[in-house]
């Protein structure tokens, strides 16, 4: 009989969203007339912007004509998309990248999950806690253990540097779930740590498009020296509504190095290229064409309008929760609102309370790691009418005894 990878038995996953679904179903069965508003799962609701759809259609039509049909493309992505990415996302902020440093993929979740394959099993991994569960689970699957760096109200959701030496650290800014954005000095502190300790930073910037404060960095490469120590992940998912269309990219600068078991240094870029060309056959042509349309003048305008729509929702939630007497974080340069449960309530009890009293579904903070206990996540994706209704219900129906 084949033997399983025992590490899979150590996973705590499959718990959070199925448990939410179970509780929601139980509630609906008992209260069939209740109109639920779901602000739990971080998925977008607005359709793909018009210029993206137009390019998508054109791409499909090209596939229908033998003169323009395309089979396998380059595994790392078509040059037209890579060039648009470099010019618009990086050169515009003073960062120069080579086309060979950008790898287009079908999602940041896959990339951030796959990248750990490049590292040895003894690699010491740190994550900020609460955390996007993919960082943790993919390392557990491989058999690594994890160091948690707690991010709480007490440290302003900016965890201190690890007291021991770590080899790999996952940073997510703007953060899912806390909505915190790292400023320049916070990022400098990490780049400096990584350079001193020969660590590598995996910087997840899936939400960079939601930053409106001009002083905040969008890319870790805005920090001097970061190209030597950081890999950056970006996605079209939340930016342009690609969660169901699938396109993202990862930047692996040529300077980023790690050592082999004999201590010899190797650049990671060729290893990632080797991994991708072996295990991945590229993103479909129409999807890459659609992604490239995000960088046209029209595309940029349409995307900005969608982001503004979401961030207006975030503002409504923040204002509403403050009026309801709840303490919040995030929601200003990120589409997530991370609230402190009232009266130190446990996250799941608050979930049940919000569901029972307001018919609003959110995500219990404890699902994102030990330091998420006592917190709760709401997201600002959603139609404004629903958001307004949810906020109204929270203000009028949520029973909080002691207002903050
Ligand atoms: C949504 C999200 C992503 C993007 O995932 P895709 O696979 O590109 O859809 C990446 N990181 C975080 C933290 C996210 O919340």
């Amino acid at each position: 009989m084949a033997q399983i990878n025992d590490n899979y038995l150590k996973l705590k996953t499959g718990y959070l969203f199925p448990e939410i679904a179970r509780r929601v179903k139980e509630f609906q069965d008992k209260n069939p007339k209740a109109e639920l508003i779901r602000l739990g799962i971080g998925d977008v609701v607005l359709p793909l912007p018009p210029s993206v759809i137009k390019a998508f259609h054109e791409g499909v039509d090209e596939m229908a004509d033998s003169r323009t049909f395309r089979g396998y493309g380059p595994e790392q992505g078509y040059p037209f998309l890579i060039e648009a990415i470099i010019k618009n996302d990086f050169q515009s902020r003073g960062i120069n990248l080579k086309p060979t440093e950008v790898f287009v993929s079908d999602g940041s979740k896959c990339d951030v999950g796959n990248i750990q394959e490049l590292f040895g099993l003894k690699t010491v991994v740190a994550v900020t806690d609460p955390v996007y569960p993919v960082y943790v689970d993919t390392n557990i699957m491989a058999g690594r253990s994890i160091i948690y760096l707690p991010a709480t109200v007490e440290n302003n959701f900016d965890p201190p540097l690890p007291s021991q030496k770590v080899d790999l650290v996952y940073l997510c800014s703007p953060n899912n779930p806390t909505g915190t954005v790292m400023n320049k000095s916070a990022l400098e502190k990490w780049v400096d740590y990584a350079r001193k300790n020969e660590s590598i930073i995996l910087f997840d910037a899936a939400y960079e498009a939601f930053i409106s404060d001009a002083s905040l960095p969008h890319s870790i490469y805005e920090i001097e020296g970061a190209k030597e120590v950081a890999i950056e992940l970006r996605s079209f998912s939340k930016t342009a509504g690609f969660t169901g269309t699938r396109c993202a990219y990862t930047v692996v600068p040529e300077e980023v190095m790690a050592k082999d078991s004999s201590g010899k240094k190797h650049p990671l870029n060729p290893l990632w290229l080797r991994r991708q060309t072996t295990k991945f056959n590229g993103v479909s042509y129409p999807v890459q064409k659609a992604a490239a349309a995000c960088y046209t003048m029209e595309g940029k305008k349409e995307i900005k309008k969608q982001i503004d729509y979401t961030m207006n929702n975030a503002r409504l939630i923040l204002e509403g929760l403050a009026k309801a007497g709840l303490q919040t974080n995030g929601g200003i340069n990120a589409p997530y609102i991370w609230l402190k449960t009232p009266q130190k309530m446990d996250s799941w009890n608050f979930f049940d309370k919000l569901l029972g009293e307001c018919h609003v579904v959110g995500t219990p903070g404890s699902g994102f790691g030990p330091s998420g206990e006592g917190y709760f996540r709401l997201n600002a994706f959603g139609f404004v009418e629903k958001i307004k209704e949810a906020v109204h219900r929270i203000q009028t129906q949520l029973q909080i005894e002691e207002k903050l």
Side-chain angles (χ1 to χ4, degrees), residues 316-336:
L316 294 171
I317 298 173
L318 279 184
E319 288 173 5
L321 294 185
K323 278 190 199 142
L326 291 160
Q327 191 184 337
T328 59
N329 185 65
I332 296 171
N333 293 286
Y336 292 113

Side-chain angles (χ1 to χ4, degrees), residues 42 106-110 132 135 172 176 204 206-207 235-238 243 246-248 336:
D106 60 350
S108 280
K109 185 180 185 174
C110 333
Y132 182 53
Y135 312 155
C172 179
N176 174 12
D204 186 341
Y207 296 95
S235 173
F236 295 92
S237 282
K238 317 301 175 0
T243 52
R246 313 304 305 141
C247 199
Y336 292 113

Side-chain angles (χ1 to χ4, degrees), residues 199-210:
S199 330
I200 289 168
I201 298 170
L202 298 174
F203 188 70
D204 186 341
Y207 296 95
E208 63 74 33
F210 294 87

Side-chain angles (χ1 to χ4, degrees), residues 307-375:
I307 302 253
D308 289 348
Y309 180 96
T310 301
M311 293 317 293
N312 181 56
N313 288 346
R315 183 182 57 80
L316 294 171
I317 298 173
L318 279 184
E319 288 173 5
L321 294 185
K323 278 190 199 142
L326 291 160
Q327 191 184 337
T328 59
N329 185 65
I332 296 171
N333 293 286
Y336 292 113
I337 290 92
W338 187 241
L339 65 95
K340 202 158 178 4
T341 59
Q343 291 120 39
K344 299 202 161 94
M345 201 179 240
D346 134 314
S347 304
W348 278 109
N349 285 342
F350 186 74
F351 175 91
D352 291 334
K353 183 177 170 69
L354 194 65
L355 179 60
E357 292 171 8
C358 306
H359 306 169
V360 171
V361 182
T363 313
S366 56
F368 297 99
S371 298
E373 184 53 275
Y375 295 87

Side-chain angles (χ1 to χ4, degrees), residues 182-201:
M182 297 173 81
N183 62 21
K184 221 159 174 204
S185 74
L187 270 182
E188 274 166 359
K189 185 180 78 173
W190 276 106
V191 169
D192 191 46
Y193 171 89
R195 285 163 61 107
K196 282 198 184 115
N197 292 282
E198 301 191 303
S199 330
I200 289 168
I201 298 170

Side-chain angles (χ1 to χ4, degrees), residues 88-149:
N88 293 281
D89 287 346
F90 296 98
Q91 266 170 16
S92 65
R93 307 191 72 82
I95 302 156
N96 288 312
L97 292 176
K98 293 183 188 154
T100 49
E101 295 177 308
V102 176
F103 296 83
V104 174
S105 78
D106 60 350
S108 280
K109 185 180 185 174
C110 333
D111 286 352
V112 82
N114 292 332
I115 198 103
Q116 50 76 30
E117 280 182 24
L118 304 190
F119 302 97
L121 290 184
K122 294 211 184 90
T123 303
V124 180
V125 179
V127 299
T128 60
D129 163 35
V131 59
Y132 182 53
V134 181
Y135 312 155
V136 171
D137 291 347
T138 55
N139 277 292
I140 293 193
M141 287 170 174
R144 294 185 199 93
S145 48
I146 317 267
I147 292 167
Y148 285 89
L149 309 172

Side-chain angles (χ1 to χ4, degrees), residues 28 33-40 43-46 309-310 312-314 316-318 320-321 354 358-362 378-397:
Q28 283 239 275
K33 290 214 183 95
E35 272 186 49
L36 295 186
I37 300 178
R38 294 166 197 271
L39 304 178
D43 197 0
V44 297
V45 299
L46 300 176
Y309 180 96
T310 301
N312 181 56
N313 288 346
L316 294 171
I317 298 173
L318 279 184
L321 294 185
L354 194 65
C358 306
H359 306 169
V360 171
V361 182
L378 294 175
N379 78 63
F381 300 119
F383 296 108
V384 67
E385 299 75 27
K386 294 256 182 180
I387 299 277
K388 282 184 180 160
E389 173 62 21
V391 168
H392 175 75
R393 289 184 197 166
I394 291 171
Q395 279 180 14
T396 53
Q397 284 153 237

